[in-house]
Amino acid sequence: MARMKFLCDAERCIECNGCVTACKSANEVPWGVNRRRVVTINDGVVGAEKSISVACMHCSDAPCMAVCPVDCFYRTEEGVVLHDKDLCIGCGYCFYACPFGAPQFPQAGAFGLRGKMDKCTFCAGGPEKDLSAEEFRKYGSNRLAEGKLPACAEMCSTKALLGGDGDVIADIYRQRVLKRGKGSEVWGWGTAYGRPDQPKTAGAKS
């Protein structure tokens, strides 16, 4: 049985937010909730800026499952961490426990005032019947039941965001690393247009 995972290649991500838009469109995510977002570190620092697409990572030992007082979280056979909105009481414990900030709430407030928690479902729907109208209303599209990958991964223009069987995407990433080496030549201007000429040394004749 496949173990579904996400992997984002920081050397390929161009911060286009196509994955964010694809997620919102495919799942009709409510206003104010972002199941996926692009995080950039060292923003504006030449040569040190990196971006990565972040959502629920569907952890094998998910901290959100450990802290939920009503056990609304469950794991599918494919390793996808889902939740039951009918059980959620909006306490926010999962929000504080998750290191990726995946659980989102439509409102700000204590306990039930937050509303029902929402998060990335790996486009696998929820506990309702597969591909039903009720499932889509609560959790968005169930692309896995249709034999498709998550919308965010399919929409990524540079294929920085990979989603699917953990072993398969690990092999893809491993091959990328072996072929491209490391440093500034990995991806970007130099790869696309060739390296600039080497600067002339002092005292060299023109």
Side-chain angles (χ1 to χ4, degrees):
M1 180 64 69
R3 299 283 296 182
M4 296 298 182
K5 295 292 181 183
F6 280 122
L7 187 152
C8 185
D9 188 345
E11 302 294 347
R12 286 190 173 219
C13 181
I14 58 174
E15 199 183 354
C16 68
N17 283 284
C19 53
V20 178
T21 304
C23 176
K24 278 189 166 291
S25 177
N27 298 299
E28 295 186 5
V29 179
W31 180 261
V33 173
N34 286 318
R35 293 185 178 181
R36 179 168 289 282
R37 64 193 186 282
V38 177
V39 177
T40 301
I41 60 173
N42 298 321
D43 196 6
V45 180
V46 178
E49 185 176 289
K50 300 289 183 184
S51 297
I52 186 171
S53 180
V54 180
C56 175
M57 300 304 285
H58 303 277
C59 308
S60 298
D61 186 17
C64 56
M65 296 181 71
V67 300
C68 181
V70 294
D71 293 328
C72 78
F73 291 94
Y74 65 97
R75 184 179 289 106
T76 68
E77 293 180 355
E78 293 85 10
V80 178
V81 177
L82 299 177
H83 66 292
D84 189 336
K85 287 191 175 183
D86 291 335
L87 295 178
C88 177
I89 58 174
C91 66
Y93 288 179
C94 56
F95 174 79
Y96 294 110
C98 178
F100 305 104
Q104 302 281 306
F105 292 86
Q107 303 171 32
F111 300 99
L113 293 177
R114 297 175 185 269
K116 300 293 185 178
M117 187 271 288
D118 191 275
K119 77 171 190 70
C120 162
T121 64
F122 208 89
C123 287
E128 274 74 16
K129 183 180 178 181
D130 286 350
L131 305 178
S132 65
E134 185 68 8
E135 181 188 50
F136 182 83
R137 184 181 67 82
K138 289 183 179 180
Y139 307 98
S141 60
N142 190 341
R143 293 172 59 89
L144 289 191
E146 298 174 347
K148 301 176 182 177
L149 290 175
C152 56
E154 287 200 350
M155 185 59 67
C156 183
S157 59
T158 61
K159 299 305 175 190
L161 181 61
L162 302 173
D165 185 351
D167 292 334
V168 174
I169 63 176
D171 286 339
I172 293 172
Y173 186 70
R174 187 179 298 111
Q175 291 302 315
R176 287 182 182 179
V177 172
L178 289 174
K179 289 180 180 179
R180 71 190 179 196
K182 62 180 182 178
S184 60
E185 73 278 4
V186 171
W187 189 261
W189 188 273
T191 304
Y193 301 103
R195 295 185 182 180
D197 295 334
Q198 295 294 327
K200 296 178 181 179
T201 57
K205 295 182 179 179
S206 55

